[in-house]
Amino acid sequence: MTTLRERVAGERRRLKSVRETLTAAVARKSGGDPAFIPFYVAVADYIETSMGRLHAQDVKMGDMIREKLGTIDPESAKGLAELDERLAGNQRLLADFVAGREALKHDGAAALPRFEAASAAYTHYIVTSMGHHGATTSLAGRLFTTEDWDYMAGVTEAETLREQELYSRVFAALPPALSDLRPTA
């Protein structure tokens, strides 16, 4: 049986793997190849689910920090405002990304350029703006107990299994032109 920390770490590794694969695919471009459609749909399904869960965790983290602090000093307020801004930006770009997926489902290969443009913008945002940031990470590290971290993660066995299933679908749908991007581990 894996620990919560191991499950979360595994999910983060798989998310990074999918994001890096999407980044490489988008950089190469599909060239209108319809074989990319099922792959891109599977990637979007995975990222929408995984980033949705991470968003919920980050929102919960912000709420828990605010609750534990009670009175919020200016430095903490600045860090929490930055968290809120990053999360709002993530949601905007995620919505564009998901709309690109829906266009692929509806319009097929004609929507590939739209999806690739939305993917490039979103993966760039994830790399440059998401993840652990000093102020909120420091606050959470100082304020949270192990039980708080477990509560914030909120990872269930069913969610872990769903995430792993979606991950498998991504690489099962890899088009021949991207076969070299198959993970080795």
Side-chain angles (χ1 to χ4, degrees), residues 126-145:
I126 290 170
V127 170
T128 59
S129 300
M130 298 305 290
H132 298 290
H133 289 269
T136 50
T137 300
S138 176
L139 282 167
R142 184 173 48 112
L143 297 169
F144 290 3
T145 64

Side-chain angles (χ1 to χ4, degrees), residues 1-183:
M1 175 151 199
T2 59
T3 66
L4 176 62
R5 182 179 298 256
E6 291 167 334
R7 287 198 321 251
V8 169
E11 181 175 349
R12 300 285 167 104
R13 279 191 304 277
R14 288 185 294 275
L15 175 59
K16 182 179 180 185
S17 170
V18 170
R19 184 204 26 90
E20 288 175 342
T21 302
L22 176 61
T23 299
V26 168
R28 292 180 190 181
K29 304 254 184 272
S30 64
D33 182 352
F36 277 66
I37 295 170
F39 168 67
Y40 281 158
V41 168
V43 166
D45 290 347
Y46 178 87
I47 289 178
E48 178 185 31
T49 299
S50 189
M51 290 303 290
R53 288 183 356 86
L54 291 174
H55 177 79
Q57 290 169 358
D58 285 348
V59 168
K60 194 185 294 185
M61 178 180 67
D63 291 345
M64 291 170 65
I65 289 171
R66 286 176 177 91
E67 182 181 314
K68 287 184 175 288
L69 283 175
T71 303
I72 300 176
D73 61 90
E75 187 69 24
S76 297
K78 181 179 179 216
L80 289 165
E82 289 170 358
L83 171 67
D84 294 342
E85 184 178 314
R86 284 194 322 273
L87 292 176
N90 179 68
Q91 291 305 103
R92 280 191 304 277
L93 288 164
L94 178 59
D96 291 345
F97 177 72
V98 169
R101 177 196 61 202
E102 295 308 305
L104 283 175
K105 290 178 179 179
H106 185 265
D107 301 330
L112 284 165
R114 175 185 176 181
F115 181 81
E116 289 173 337
S119 296
Y122 190 43
T123 56
H124 176 75
Y125 188 82
I126 290 170
V127 170
T128 59
S129 300
M130 298 305 290
H132 298 290
H133 289 269
T136 50
T137 300
S138 176
L139 282 167
R142 184 173 48 112
L143 297 169
F144 290 3
T145 64
T146 300
E147 292 77 22
D148 291 330
W149 286 106
D150 290 351
Y151 170 75
M152 186 191 77
V155 178
T156 67
E157 188 66 34
E159 288 171 326
T160 299
L161 291 173
R162 175 74 175 142
E163 180 268 332
Q164 291 170 343
E165 171 193 321
L166 290 170
Y167 179 80
S168 294
R169 283 183 38 209
V170 167
F171 292 100
L174 204 62
L178 301 176
S179 63
D180 62 305
L181 299 178
R182 189 168 307 283

